[in-house]
Amino acid sequence: MAGRIIACATYVPFLRLTRAEYRKAWGRCAADISEKAVADFDEDAVTMAVEAGRQVLALVDAAGVRVLALASTTLPYAEKMAAGTVAAALGLPEKVTSVELGTSARAGTEALLSALALLGGEEATALVLAADCPAAGPGEDLDHALGAAACAFVLAAGSGGVEFEGAASRVTERLGERFVPRGAVRIRDVGVRTYTGEAYAATVGAVVRDLLERLGRRPGDYRYVVLPQFDGRQTASLGRRLGFTSEQMEAGLIFARVGDTGVCASLLGFCAVLEQASPGDRILVAGYGSGCGGQALSFVVREPVLRPPHGLHYWLERKRYIDYLHYLKLRLKEQLL
Amino acid sequence: MAIVGAGQTAFGDFPEKGVKELFAEAYFEMLKSVDKGLDPAMIEAAYLGCLSAGGGFQLGQLAPLLLGYVGLPHVPAVRLENACASGGFALYAAVCAVASGHFKVVLAGGVEKMRDLSGQKGRYWLGVSGDTEYERLAGCTFAGIYALMANRYMFEYGLTRRQLSLVAVKNHRHAVANPKAQFRRAVTLEEAMEGPMVAHPLNIWDCSPTSDGAALVLICSAELAREFTDRPVYVAGFGAAGDYLALHDRADITKLRAARKAARAAYERAGLGPGDIDLAEVHDCFTIAELLAYEDLGFCEEGKAARLLEEGHTSFGGRLPVNVSGGLKAKGHPLGATGCGQACEIFAQLRGQAVEPSRQVPGAEIALSHNVGGSGGTATVFIYRGGS
Amino acid sequence: MGAHISVPMYQRAVPQRYRLVGLRCRNCGRVNFPPKGVCRYCGVGADFEECRLSGRGTVHSWTLIAGAGAPPEFAAEAACKGSYPVVLVELDEGPRIIAQMVDPPEEGPRIGMRVEAVFRRIYEEEGVIRYGFKFRPMT
Ligand SMILES: [Zn+2]
């Protein structure tokens, strides 16, 4: 399965909630964030996906897009195509082959792999959109980390660009870790941190090792490594255990500034890395889905990606801080009136 | 054409009265006002303005319902709707009908029952008279549309917050002596400047209220007028016009072209100009609207409305008193009743019959009324001449 | 109580609301948005071709809708935000349009400010989310 990334873009909502606001409201902050991005009243996964999508489609021809892969765990309807909304807003051809992925945060890397597969060898482009704004009960520790963001990638068949080298994937049964019961909208878990932490470390660790083995690589062969970020310490500690240095990890660690962005939990960091990578750099990016499964993908930079005028740094710096009461109103918006 | 009778309820909050009772009250007052009496059988047609028919319970065939309630079931009657200008268009239709010679004696009136509605339902009805798709469902409100005009006017002409409030202060002061007014209480400039915001820069004191009320006038041909009264009020000029409904389609949002065109037609027909007007009732649904009206009606040059106001010319006692009734702002604004309510006020003023002598404009002979639909999608202007 | 715009009616406006598709008059060349039956500019053209607007424009006027006064469809949003800005924007292609402003600067909107269209949820009725455009300050 050959293919390459030719463009990428990100979107982070304007609103931020700081660790200090959690301390004021709850006496503590259960997440290892300095601040997190919060979707506004009128934003959802679809609008954020369009925000990121519009930026990359200013770089490539929308009419040439043959594949659309949309990843989100928080699409606004439980049943109803969201890809159609996005395609209509972006002006994509109706003949686009679309897939929607989203029963776990791993949907982000699943969308990259699906788009590469659907593209086959065709002389065309694929648009991958990942957007998420997960929420838990406002009183739950789980909610403290949950942020919001979107990323967009344009993929093409063939070599060059940021070339896809290979992937590893694993799936296994793991009960009670981060789930949304059917009909509900808020994330739950059984609240046993060591248990859920172990599932993450074991699964992501296994696929990273699988990938290194399959490609005959060592950790040091990668200039950048981006592991999925649902918690800052957990990600850093897994990286160390896998033999990666903080220099390899640093550029892709975004968690502390946006929080847990669901399907963007590693893709946002991946975009940060793509924005600065130089020809010859190798990049490893991993995804993780609760319950549970992992994926690891390897890329080599042949030529830099096309980037919109506003990179991730711009979106991270463009912000307005809100207080916890404002945040609570946003979290409870369905019940406001 | 002449107005030979006029009746209106007080405007305000009347939980004990519905649309029918309000209409009947105005009707009986109108009958009483006809100096030489009116045989109701002479009424040949009725034109009634109404937007919501009391919250939508009778959007179809409201007019026969009301006429039947006062014992006139066989009179051809029709409800006209142009939002806040419904009454003005009812009057316009009645005047045209008599002018054509087809009818000789007709009723023009209007009624609105707004105070039964919850705030939410009230906002529903206030928000269906602009371009619903592109104004209300873009999150804008009726006040918001006038606020867009006000902000632009402030930007272009340097109008201040204080000057806007002066309109409210004047009209509230006028309403104190008007027994028909909803708010018979003066407001200080400080109060008016610091009310709770509705749509920046407009605060609550810049906005007319929701009101219950009804108003009716009896129109007949000029030849017949003396059979009803020795003091008719003649309709010397009348004009109506429209504009793009949506504010976004109008090239200049600091003018109401509909009002300008209606005014031009009315002045031309009357052979009069702005300088001849002794008294005007203008459509001050928001304070900014009164200032725009000064310019649209030719009372002053463009951008000079605030000066006309500040110099006191449009206050009671000034050379061209505007809204001595209190206007929509303080007399009240029962949408469908407003246009004919203005005619009722002028009927009394030009006959020297303002109930409280303290508010009679002395020696007034020529008057004007100006009624605007929504943000200016429609407008009517009438010029009246006292007959004594 | 909403000002009911049926779902099929909203559906017909999807090209305008989702991606600002306007109509270019074949008589005078100017762009009508939202669509018109007869050209708003030359007053005679009734033959049009579709064109996509850039979404960029300039604030012609603005207001802030206070929480308590918002239309019923926007009451929850107003309750959440306290108030929200609404702008009358003159698009670079000529037409003007009213929409909400998102991510306003601390000091509020101002006349002459450059803005760009963004895709947002406008309101929801019958469980159906009505998406459309709003404007955001350009940087
Ligand atoms: Zn044309």
Side-chain angles (χ1 to χ4, degrees):
Chain A
M1 192 164 69
R4 60 202 159 105
I5 297 171
I6 58 174
C8 76
T10 55
Y11 172 75
V12 180
F14 192 46
L15 305 182
R16 297 288 186 286
L17 185 68
T18 62
R19 181 176 190 79
E21 285 294 326
Y22 270 107
R23 287 229 177 96
K24 257 195 280 178
W26 296 101
R28 70 201 179 84
C29 181
D32 191 15
I33 52 165
S34 63
E35 62 193 44
K36 68 173 187 176
V38 181
D40 206 344
F41 191 92
D42 53 3
E43 292 188 289
D44 61 22
V46 163
T47 65
M48 293 193 296
V50 170
E51 286 271 10
R54 278 189 180 163
Q55 294 176 66
V56 284
L57 291 180
L59 306 170
V60 300
D61 178 21
V65 175
R66 296 288 156 75
V67 173
L68 170 63
L70 176 62
S72 178
T73 64
T74 52
L75 289 177
Y77 295 97
E79 174 166 351
K80 183 221 171 291
M81 309 261 339
T85 312
V86 169
L90 294 175
L92 297 180
E94 281 184 20
K95 285 184 176 174
V96 73
T97 300
S98 66
V99 288
E100 297 173 33
L101 304 143
T103 52
S104 84
R106 201 184 71 169
T109 50
E110 288 171 4
L112 282 176
L113 291 176
S114 305
L116 285 167
L118 287 168
L119 209 47
E122 213 187 332
E123 272 299 314
T125 51
L127 178 63
V128 173
L129 300 174
D132 236 346
C133 44
E140 308 232 22
D141 281 5
L142 257 181
D143 194 61
H144 294 201
L146 300 178
C151 335
F153 300 87
V154 178
L155 276 48
S159 52
V162 176
E163 211 171 288
F164 175 68
E165 296 188 306
S169 208
R170 280 191 186 220
V171 69
T172 184
E173 172 66 316
R174 188 71 65 141
L175 296 171
E177 177 212 5
R178 188 168 175 149
F179 62 99
V180 180
R182 179 157 293 281
V185 292
R186 290 186 177 143
I187 293 169
R188 290 160 56 178
D189 75 358
V190 292
V192 187
R193 276 215 170 185
T194 46
Y195 171 75
T196 54
E198 190 271 335
Y200 166 85
T203 310
V204 178
V207 289
V208 169
R209 285 189 213 97
D210 289 350
L211 181 71
L212 294 177
E213 191 180 332
R214 179 172 305 170
L215 298 177
R217 301 258 167 74
R218 285 170 312 187
D221 295 338
Y222 285 90
R223 172 70 184 84
Y224 299 105
V225 174
V226 188
L227 301 181
Q229 297 153 36
F230 306 103
D231 175 291
R233 277 185 287 263
Q234 182 188 53
T235 304
S237 132
L238 175 62
R240 279 195 301 276
R241 278 161 59 188
L242 291 171
F244 298 114
T245 65
S246 55
E247 289 70 38
Q248 287 170 292
M249 302 274 295
E250 203 173 18
L253 280 176
I254 308 297
F255 176 83
R257 304 183 66 187
V258 292
D260 166 356
T261 55
V263 299
C264 299
S266 52
L267 297 191
L268 203 59
F270 185 36
C271 287
V273 163
L274 288 174
E275 285 177 7
Q276 65 181 72
S278 313
D281 290 344
R282 284 208 153 76
I283 305 168
L284 187 153
V285 56
Y288 177 71
S290 60
C292 78
Q295 274 170 343
L297 287 68
S298 179
F299 293 90
V300 59
V301 180
R302 302 289 183 208
E303 49 199 309
V305 287
L306 299 172
R307 290 155 42 185
H310 296 317
L312 180 60
H313 181 75
Y314 167 84
W315 294 110
L316 290 176
E317 288 305 314
R318 190 198 74 112
K319 57 192 166 189
R320 164 169 313 152
Y321 291 105
I322 55 172
D323 60 20
Y324 192 80
L325 182 61
H326 189 151
Y327 174 75
L328 200 59
K329 286 187 192 172
L330 287 167
R331 273 292 190 257
L332 300 175
K333 68 176 183 175
E334 270 77 28
Q335 290 112 286
L336 272 182
L337 289 178
Chain B
M1 287 71 57
I3 300 176
V4 292
Q8 67 180 326
T9 65
F11 290 176
D13 201 344
F14 306 110
E16 72 287 3
K17 294 174 199 164
V19 169
K20 288 183 273 193
E21 290 83 3
L22 289 165
F23 178 78
E25 191 179 322
Y27 174 73
F28 291 124
E29 188 179 294
M30 181 279 295
L31 283 184
K32 261 193 288 178
S33 75
V34 182
D35 295 331
K36 299 180 185 175
L38 167 73
D39 173 5
M42 293 182 75
I43 297 170
E44 295 172 283
Y47 301 88
L48 304 178
C50 185
L51 169 64
S52 78
F57 86 99
Q58 191 71 55
L59 283 177
Q61 306 211 79
L62 175 70
L65 180 79
L66 297 178
L67 273 286
Y69 190 72
V70 297
L72 300 170
H74 303 303
V75 169
V78 62
R79 161 180 168 261
L80 290 95
E81 186 284 301
N82 261 336
C84 322
S86 298
F89 273 85
L91 183 56
Y92 189 77
V95 166
C96 288
V98 175
S100 76
H102 186 68
F103 292 128
K104 294 206 159 37
V105 180
V106 302
L107 278 181
V111 61
E112 208 75 48
K113 178 74 198 173
M114 302 171 80
R115 303 290 298 176
D116 278 357
L117 302 177
S118 68
Q120 203 189 53
K121 289 207 173 103
R123 285 195 293 280
Y124 166 81
W125 282 105
L126 291 175
V128 294
S129 300
D131 185 327
T132 307
E133 255 189 294
Y134 291 98
E135 291 179 343
R136 185 243 186 80
L137 291 176
C140 203
T141 57
F142 184 34
I145 294 294
Y146 272 95
L148 290 170
M149 295 192 235
N151 253 338
R152 186 72 199 183
Y153 188 98
M154 290 169 131
F155 175 79
E156 289 186 12
Y157 298 111
L159 176 76
T160 64
R161 160 74 269 168
R162 183 179 152 278
Q163 289 168 326
L164 274 179
S165 293
L166 286 173
V167 176
V169 170
K170 170 180 76 73
N171 290 351
H172 272 268
R173 189 172 64 236
H174 288 169
V176 171
N178 184 359
K180 301 285 191 184
Q182 185 163 356
F183 298 122
R184 301 186 63 186
R185 132 165 155 65
V187 55
T188 66
L189 182 60
E190 293 66 37
E191 261 182 291
M193 285 176 70
E194 272 151 36
M197 200 53 72
V198 173
H200 181 89
L202 305 177
N203 71 37
I204 195 92
W205 292 105
D206 292 297
C207 306
S208 56
T210 57
S211 318
D212 300 336
L216 272 176
V217 292
L218 182 67
I219 315 277
C220 69
S221 59
E223 310 83 74
L224 274 183
R226 299 277 166 181
E227 291 188 20
F228 296 107
T229 176
D230 294 331
R231 291 177 300 171
V233 168
Y234 294 101
V235 179
F238 52 101
D243 199 351
Y244 287 111
L245 181 57
L247 195 69
H248 65 234
D249 278 327
R250 302 195 200 144
D252 188 339
I253 64 167
T254 62
K255 304 169 174 53
L256 271 57
R257 282 187 65 194
R260 286 175 182 233
K261 293 185 81 117
R264 197 178 314 136
Y267 285 131
E268 267 171 31
R269 172 132 194 156
L272 296 167
D276 300 312
I277 307 299
D278 298 320
L279 146 87
E281 287 287 303
V282 311
H283 196 89
D284 59 329
C285 50
F286 299 94
T287 50
I288 181 67
E290 177 161 326
L291 297 173
L292 298 182
Y294 293 175
E295 297 174 15
D296 293 336
L297 296 169
F299 295 170
C300 65
E301 286 169 43
E302 275 161 27
K304 298 289 194 321
R307 189 202 284 181
L308 187 71
L309 171 75
E310 279 191 298
E311 290 175 353
H313 301 303
T314 58
S315 292
F316 185 85
R319 69 173 158 83
L320 172 44
V322 172
N323 286 333
V324 292
S325 67
L328 284 60
K329 176 69 208 74
K331 180 193 180 192
H333 184 24
L335 314 177
T338 292
C340 289
Q342 294 173 326
C344 289
E345 169 71 15
I346 285 167
F347 183 71
Q349 287 284 353
L350 293 188
R351 286 157 46 104
Q353 285 182 319
V355 180
E356 297 269 344
S358 66
R359 62 185 216 91
Q360 174 67 48
V361 177
E365 286 175 11
I366 308 287
L368 176 150
S369 73
H370 157 266
N371 190 199
V372 174
S375 65
T378 51
T380 59
V381 172
F382 296 90
I383 294 168
Y384 313 77
R385 188 196 294 272
S388 43
Chain C
M1 190 173 186
H4 183 62
I5 285 193
S6 68
V7 166
M9 179 177 172
Y10 206 90
Q11 173 71 40
R12 289 191 286 271
V14 157
Q16 302 151 36
R17 294 193 180 272
Y18 281 28
R19 53 178 189 276
L20 292 141
V21 172
L23 294 180
R24 188 182 298 281
C25 173
R26 289 195 210 267
N27 180 54
C28 72
R30 296 189 63 178
V31 176
N32 288 257
F33 182 84
K36 287 269 189 301
V38 170
C39 176
R40 184 229 167 290
Y41 299 96
C42 65
V44 291
D47 186 20
F48 300 97
E49 59 183 336
E50 290 194 348
C51 63
R52 197 167 159 185
L53 280 76
S54 66
R56 284 186 287 274
T58 305
V59 173
H60 186 73
S61 193
W62 61 276
T63 181
L64 295 174
I65 305 294
E73 297 84 0
F74 299 84
E77 179 172 6
C80 179
K81 295 179 173 173
S83 67
Y84 59 79
V86 165
V87 284
L88 173 61
V89 171
E90 184 162 305
L91 297 163
D92 288 355
E93 293 83 356
R96 289 190 196 142
I97 195 73
I98 290 173
Q100 287 169 274
M101 176 183 266
V102 301
D103 308 349
E106 213 65 68
E107 64 278 13
R110 60 183 158 68
I111 290 172
M113 174 184 268
R114 292 287 292 160
V115 292
E116 61 185 342
V118 293
F119 184 71
R120 296 286 180 121
R121 296 165 80 114
I122 310 294
Y123 68 102
E124 191 174 322
E125 195 188 346
E126 299 171 304
V128 177
I129 303 162
R130 315 292 176 100
Y131 290 100
F133 56 86
K134 298 187 180 183
F135 289 95
R136 175 168 66 203
M138 263 172 90
T139 44

